Amino acid sequence: MSSCFPIEKFAQKETPFYYYDVELLRKTLATAKEEAAKYEGFHVHYAIKANFNPRLLQIVNEAGMGADCVSGGEVDSALKAGIPADKVVFAGVGKTDKEIALALDAGIFCFNIESVPEVEAINALAAERGVVASVAIRINPNIGAHTHANITTGLAENKFGVNYEQLDEVIDTIESLPHIKLIGLHFHIGSQILVMDDFIALCGRVNELQTMLREKRGLVLPHINVGGGLGIRYDAPDKYPIPDFALYFATYAQNLNLQPGQQVHFELGRSLVAQCGSLISRVTYIKRGTCKQFMIIDAGMNDLVRPALYDAYHRIENLSSSKEDELYDVVGPICESSDVFCKDRKIPSTQRGDILAIRSAGAYGEAMAFGYNCRRLPSSLFSDEI
Ligand SMILES: *Cc1c(COP(=O)(O)O)cnc(C)c1O
């Protein structure tokens, strides 16, 4: 049984809902900021796609973070939360004219561009407005992160970024476009990365590329954006509530060869918000099968899709029971066989009506919820609202 959850309050509420520990969120954001501030020219942008809950975005803005957006809707959410436009970067392989126009009109800091036709479209829309758009080229560094295949993004086979062979063509195009200014390089190799070696490999690629651009084209760009991807400990949220930001930023500081005045941008999503969130759910039934015991809960894959989508592990705690452990498959009510949170998990003996916390669900939880089976989207509760 965990003592840090207000279980009496939960008991009065309709489930499922996301519960956010505001104190932990603030502390995590402050730690990331402090550790980044130890190095000159390091900037942290919050990757909004991890969680775009408006209250959470407000807290992120209060911490003084910029925003990394991957859609026009996210640019809009960032601005509505008060994040200044000059701290907003906009990535994504498929930016539509409407999304580009919105970002140009807001005057965002930088577009991370991924193809020739995209940069031509941005140029045309910037020309109509009489402005010059700043862009960074997203490079596909062909590095595999040691993580789940569905969350690696930096391999040649992935749809993201510009490959080395095409880089000259992209730069030539940019240099011919009067309404585009090239200000940087952008990288993002994947997510839930816990071994620093992957980031060290990325730094190696950045250094190689910087040398090549300097020697071949005399080009030194003021901004290097290394993306996000720092992982969290899903197995031990109470022991590791805040990721090792000190090690993360030190790894980049030690391994990147920067030119004087070069600024380094980070786009952290999961590592900033995952541990502060839990999905709170009630047990609807305990169903005994022939060889299994199913714990059927009122949250489903539509509320938290990570286990079904990525085979992801989340700790599950029964907040109502401290009895002996039993083995359960914890499942949702959705009519899909993949609506399973975990199989053969040891959890204290559980009854109908018990309240569970599915931990480390602050990132890619509420943000990925959907309404399949006519289910309402999960609501949220912040710890300082009760
Ligand atoms: C998703 C994403 C991020 C954030 O990734 P995390 O693993 O949550 O830190 C950063 N940059 C880009 C371009 C992304 O698509």
Side-chain angles (χ1 to χ4, degrees), residues 193-209:
I193 298 168
L194 285 166
V195 281
M196 291 302 123
D197 290 358
D198 289 336
F199 298 124
I200 293 171
L202 172 61
C203 289
R205 285 296 162 89
V206 175
N207 296 340
E208 262 169 43
L209 207 60

Side-chain angles (χ1 to χ4, degrees), residues 47 49-50 68 70 91 138 186 188 190-192 227-230 267-271 364:
K49 76 172 189 287
D68 163 50
V70 293
R138 178 167 180 173
H186 175 231
H188 174 67
S191 202
Q192 184 53 16
L230 178 62
E267 303 170 333
L268 296 174
R270 185 192 314 270
S271 54
Y364 309 108

Side-chain angles (χ1 to χ4, degrees), residues 166-351:
Q166 300 154 329
L167 188 55
D168 269 317
E169 182 200 346
V170 173
I171 297 176
D172 289 341
T173 305
I174 290 174
E175 288 179 346
S176 74
L177 297 172
H179 292 274
I180 301 289
K181 183 178 176 199
L182 179 60
I183 64 164
L185 299 174
H186 175 231
F187 304 81
H188 174 67
I189 55 170
S191 202
Q192 184 53 16
I193 298 168
L194 285 166
V195 281
M196 291 302 123
D197 290 358
D198 289 336
F199 298 124
I200 293 171
L202 172 61
C203 289
R205 285 296 162 89
V206 175
N207 296 340
E208 262 169 43
L209 207 60
Q210 289 232 79
T211 306
M212 189 190 86
L213 289 176
R214 202 170 57 241
E215 289 175 354
K216 267 182 66 185
R217 308 193 63 125
L219 203 57
V220 179
L221 296 167
H223 298 280
I224 301 295
N225 183 334
V226 293
L230 178 62
I232 64 135
R233 291 289 299 267
Y234 284 97
D235 59 324
D238 292 323
K239 190 161 177 214
Y240 303 100
I242 299 180
D244 195 346
F245 292 114
L247 176 66
Y248 174 72
F249 290 116
T251 300
Y252 278 100
Q254 281 159 19
N255 292 283
L256 274 182
N257 300 332
L258 295 173
Q259 300 301 309
Q262 259 184 340
Q263 308 288 299
V264 184
H265 299 261
F266 298 86
E267 303 170 333
L268 296 174
R270 185 192 314 270
S271 54
L272 294 175
V273 298
Q275 295 293 36
C276 78
S278 296
L279 177 60
I280 307 299
S281 175
R282 263 191 188 79
V283 177
T284 312
Y285 300 111
I286 301 295
K287 172 175 167 175
R288 282 171 230 285
T290 47
C291 56
K292 287 271 192 186
Q293 181 165 236
F294 296 103
M295 190 190 298
I296 301 170
I297 69 175
D298 65 2
M301 64 190 285
N302 72 296
D303 300 298
L304 177 66
V305 77
R306 298 188 67 259
L309 190 59
Y310 311 119
D311 246 332
Y313 173 93
H314 285 268
R315 259 188 75 82
I316 298 181
E317 288 167 15
N318 184 334
L319 304 182
S320 313
S321 169
S322 47
K323 298 187 198 119
E324 293 279 301
D325 283 349
E326 292 183 33
L327 277 186
Y328 295 98
D329 280 17
V330 179
V331 303
I334 307 289
C335 299
E336 295 290 337
S337 300
S338 54
D339 186 23
V340 175
F341 290 101
C342 63
K343 289 187 174 166
D344 296 322
R345 183 84 62 87
K346 275 189 191 160
I347 297 175
S349 180
T350 299
Q351 322 174 26

